[in-house]
Amino acid sequence: MNVERFCIKPGSRLDWKDHDPDATPGCKSKAAAAKPLLANLERLLELQEQLFAQSERALLIVLQGMDTSGKDGVIEHVMGAFNPQGVKITSFKVPTPEELTHDFLWRVHKATPGRGMVGIFNRSHYEDVLVVRVAGLAPKAVWSTRYAHINAFEKLLADSGVAIVKIFLHISPEEQAERLTARRDTPEKQWKFSPGDLKVRTQWSAYMKAYQDALERCSTGWAPWYVVPSNKKWYRNLAISEILVDTMSRLGLAYPPPVEGIASYEIPPAG
Ligand code: AMP
Ligand code: MG
């Protein structure tokens, strides 16, 4: 699968008409996706082990998408392949009163992965140019300065060894309606049903405009944005596993060299 097709080229325009959330380029069916997905998940675990052993680089995965787009599902079904010891997941909620007394990146910077670690953001600093903009939680004079701050912040991370990959899970409003209905009507899913999501749904086009601006302004050479068709969960998982394998295999990962003369060490009897 060619993952470049999902990448928003730095400086290019994003037209949602070019992105079909139902598309499944490079794979026709769920059955056909099973084998390559499994191979990618195994490869991700190997790459993560090298990342951890080498402890020079870090990986930051940013997940964004409308409610029900599958952020939790991807963490379970794709990132679940990683060894949990080397993973730090952060879900960004409505900022606390303390967080609100600081700049918007304060809570985010603290959550970034250290060397050897994989960091996963379930929502992120992008909420500060998405919900904040659409719900009017801050004036334009405030949120409009944030794109430049985000790019500079991500450049700092990249210059410090953090590889960044940002993924937008693209679903259609029709698909969301089905998923919200399932959440409302299925007892095991009802705990996820949040009436606040319905209000956000009524602002769909305002969110798409906010996402368009964020992805156009903040897809950079050091922290690219990918738009992944996500109406079909099996395709979403496969495509994201491909993007992660592609990103991690370009990090120059390898096991560190062993201690000198390793073969000459005798394992002594236990005392
Ligand atoms: P969930 O992802 O369902 O757990 O919901 C988290 C909620 O927190 C969403 O409604 C987000 O829009 C909201 N949220 C996350 N970050 C921010 C932020 N910086 N400002 C305001 N709301 C936020
Ligand atoms: Mg929610």
Side-chain angles (χ1 to χ4, degrees):
M1 188 183 289
N2 167 22
V3 299
E4 279 307 302
R5 61 154 60 87
F6 305 125
C7 189
I8 306 303
K9 306 271 167 307
S12 73
R13 301 290 310 206
L14 189 166
D15 188 340
W16 289 118
K17 285 202 272 313
D18 300 334
H19 296 269
D20 175 7
D22 263 320
T24 65
C27 192
K28 286 201 176 72
S29 69
K30 186 174 180 174
K35 238 175 138 175
L37 174 65
L38 199 65
N40 286 344
L41 298 185
E42 283 172 9
R43 182 75 185 123
L44 283 178
L45 182 59
E46 286 170 5
L47 287 162
Q48 183 209 10
E49 189 169 68
Q50 293 180 339
L51 181 86
F52 192 80
Q54 194 178 44
S55 276
E56 284 177 16
R57 308 291 310 269
L59 174 67
L60 174 61
I61 304 164
V62 172
L63 295 175
Q64 285 285 163
M66 297 297 279
D67 295 306
T68 78
S69 60
K71 301 182 287 295
D72 300 298
V74 166
I75 293 172
E76 180 180 348
H77 297 292
V78 181
M79 285 64 153
F82 290 132
N83 178 344
Q85 189 158 227
V87 179
K88 178 175 173 174
I89 304 174
T90 309
S91 295
F92 288 94
K93 308 286 183 185
V94 176
T96 63
E98 191 197 9
E99 287 167 350
L100 283 173
T101 68
H102 294 270
D103 70 85
F104 78 106
L105 292 171
W106 180 73
R107 66 174 184 165
V108 180
H109 205 161
K110 282 197 297 188
T112 56
R115 291 181 210 287
M117 297 291 290
V118 176
I120 300 168
F121 284 1
N122 182 349
R123 302 187 189 269
S124 65
H125 42 303
Y126 283 90
E127 292 291 324
D128 293 282
V129 289
L130 296 165
V131 65
V132 167
R133 168 177 172 173
V134 176
L137 303 178
K140 183 171 185 184
V142 171
W143 60 254
S144 62
T145 65
R146 290 181 170 167
Y147 303 100
H149 289 306
I150 288 173
N151 288 340
F153 168 63
E154 292 177 353
K155 182 75 165 70
L156 168 68
L157 296 179
D159 287 348
S160 312
V162 184
I164 306 170
V165 56
K166 301 179 296 193
I167 298 171
F168 174 71
L169 307 181
H170 187 29
I171 56 166
S172 63
E174 295 77 19
E175 179 65 24
Q176 192 197 47
E178 280 184 29
R179 295 184 186 184
L180 286 173
T181 306
R183 277 187 186 183
R184 186 193 62 192
D185 299 343
T186 314
E188 302 76 44
K189 293 185 178 177
Q190 284 172 344
W191 66 276
K192 277 198 170 195
F193 189 82
S194 163
D197 295 352
L198 305 180
K199 167 90 192 289
V200 172
R201 174 174 166 78
T202 64
Q203 299 166 312
W204 190 277
S205 39
Y207 273 96
M208 286 303 115
K209 175 70 184 120
Y211 267 112
Q212 182 197 339
D213 284 347
L215 271 58
E216 282 180 356
R217 292 180 196 195
C218 300
S219 196
T220 55
W222 58 90
W225 266 110
Y226 291 82
V227 173
V228 171
S230 297
N231 273 3
K232 298 200 169 56
K233 294 174 185 176
W234 61 265
Y235 187 79
R236 168 201 80 194
N237 291 345
L238 177 64
I240 291 175
S241 71
E242 294 267 347
I243 291 168
L244 296 182
V245 168
D246 176 70
T247 302
M248 292 185 84
S249 38
R250 286 187 278 112
L251 297 184
L253 299 175
Y255 290 107
V259 290
E260 236 180 278
I262 189 166
S264 65
Y265 284 86
E266 298 277 350
I267 311 298

